[in-house]
Amino acid sequence: MRDTRESRLLLVLLIAIAFALITVDIRAGEESPVDGARQAAAAVFGPVEEGVATAVDPVANAIGAVRDSGERHNRIAVLERENAALKAKLGSDEQTRSRIHELDEMLKRAGAGQYGIKGAEVIAIGAAQGFSWTVTIDAGSKDGIERDMTVLNGDGLVGRVTTVGPDTATVVLANDPDFTVGTRLEKTGELGFATGQGDRALSVQMLNGKAKIGPGDRLVTFGSHGNKPFVPGVPIGEVVKVDAARGDLTRTVWVRPFVGFSRLDIVGVVVMPPREDPRDAVLPPKPEAPKPIPTVTVTVTPSATAGAPSKPADE
């Protein structure tokens, strides 16, 4: 259409008519004269709009799903990190509680025996030293550690110090085959010598072949001259087997160590011996044997008239 005076006049006229129709439609509401035309237009263009909406909705849904998926992924990642942190914290707390318990038990033993100890942590096992049963601790000459000092933990005798460096020391364990320590039997005081047997029970040669000893009896260290390499009174283990007496001068018994050598962590090196032999004082009290539960026997004696028929009340 050319831009002429007539065309401009026609455009103005159409705009005026459009405004007039809009005004009439708004004021008339549902009774508008153009309602029929609107419905006809809706019938024609409605399917087209619906088709376009149907085609567009999956794209919009996909975009929303991707966005939501990202948010869900982020939330899952955050929860996973929080869960891992919680597990680490719980694991750390469990380890901390376990080590606090070990330290507490060791201090109780040291206090009972009046041992002056230097605490240390096991930082390595002794593969480098050959086939012997040894561990390395993180305390050395700078901490006052010397060769041939007794090493213990909350359960009892761990071993003795063999070599010392400035910051570390090597400890040969009580179950090493070359390890020997003098023993004293609880209560009776019978003496012997315990020798390591690796992962088996300690072998103890009792000096008195006729000594009365049985499973469950406990032994402690006898002590050494000058308290090196062993201070007296440190718990060693419990008798699990006694060889039959054969009239020999000595007698062999087998002792399960109190210490678990495969799970050592916190240990104490005795840097100051006790003023006097604690003897059995470091051993924990034996658990009391359970008291027998009394049984009650009920004896039923049949009555003499139990089988006789009863008489009627009116006789």
Side-chain angles (χ1 to χ4, degrees):
M1 181 181 295
R2 294 181 180 180
D3 186 12
T4 60
R5 183 178 179 182
E6 289 79 5
S7 61
R8 291 180 182 178
L9 182 60
L10 179 60
L11 178 61
V12 172
L13 182 60
L14 291 174
I15 292 174
I17 294 172
F19 274 108
L21 291 174
I22 291 172
T23 302
V24 171
D25 183 47
I26 293 173
R27 290 181 178 179
E30 295 181 356
E31 297 178 357
S32 172
V34 297
D35 188 56
R38 185 191 300 112
Q39 293 179 359
V44 173
F45 295 105
V48 177
E49 292 175 348
E50 185 178 358
V52 172
T54 303
V56 172
D57 280 347
V59 178
N61 291 338
I63 294 173
V66 171
R67 181 180 63 251
D68 293 342
S69 175
E71 292 177 357
R72 285 195 297 271
H73 177 75
N74 292 337
R75 287 196 298 270
I76 291 172
V78 170
L79 290 174
E80 287 178 346
R81 287 195 297 269
E82 291 177 353
N83 192 27
L86 180 60
K87 287 181 178 179
K89 183 177 184 299
L90 289 175
S92 177
D93 289 346
E94 287 291 337
Q95 184 180 14
T96 300
R97 283 193 292 268
S98 175
R99 302 187 80 185
I100 289 174
H101 176 72
E102 287 186 35
L103 181 60
D104 183 59
E105 290 297 310
M106 183 175 70
L107 293 176
K108 287 179 181 178
R109 298 288 173 267
Q114 297 299 304
Y115 309 126
I117 63 172
K118 174 67 179 181
E121 180 181 355
V122 174
I123 57 175
I125 58 175
Q129 287 86 11
F131 295 100
S132 59
W133 290 74
T134 60
V135 295
T136 301
I137 59 175
D138 63 349
S141 58
K142 292 181 180 179
D143 304 292
I145 307 301
E146 298 177 2
R147 179 182 170 86
D148 286 336
M149 283 184 167
T150 306
V151 183
L152 52 78
N153 68 0
D155 296 321
L157 180 67
V158 172
R160 62 180 176 86
V161 177
T162 55
T163 57
V164 181
D167 302 301
T168 61
T170 300
V171 177
V172 60
L173 303 180
N175 64 337
D176 185 273
D178 293 329
F179 187 97
T180 301
V181 58
T183 66
R184 184 196 300 274
L185 186 64
E186 180 183 14
K187 295 181 179 179
T188 66
E190 293 284 354
L191 304 181
F193 290 94
T195 303
Q197 302 291 323
D199 55 1
R200 296 180 297 165
L202 304 176
S203 171
V204 180
Q205 293 292 323
M206 303 300 299
L207 299 183
N208 181 4
K210 298 180 180 180
K212 294 182 179 180
I213 185 170
D217 291 342
R218 301 181 296 180
L219 294 93
V220 299
T221 56
F222 174 69
S224 306
H225 178 71
N227 295 301
K228 285 190 176 183
F230 303 109
V231 294
V234 181
I236 296 175
E238 181 179 83
V239 175
V240 292
K241 181 183 176 183
V242 180
D243 285 356
R246 297 177 297 180
D248 297 335
L249 294 177
T250 62
R251 191 176 186 184
T252 302
V253 299
W254 302 90
V255 174
R256 179 177 60 244
F258 291 130
V259 172
F261 298 105
S262 62
R263 55 178 186 274
L264 292 172
D265 187 10
I266 304 297
V267 299
V269 182
V270 180
V271 295
M272 184 179 296
R275 292 184 178 180
E276 58 184 27
D277 189 346
R279 299 186 71 88
D280 301 338
V282 186
L283 285 168
K286 276 191 172 183
E288 295 183 2
K291 296 180 179 180
I293 301 174
T295 57
V296 179
T297 303
V298 178
T299 303
V300 179
T301 303
S303 173
T305 60
S310 58
K311 293 182 178 182
D314 57 350
E315 288 185 4

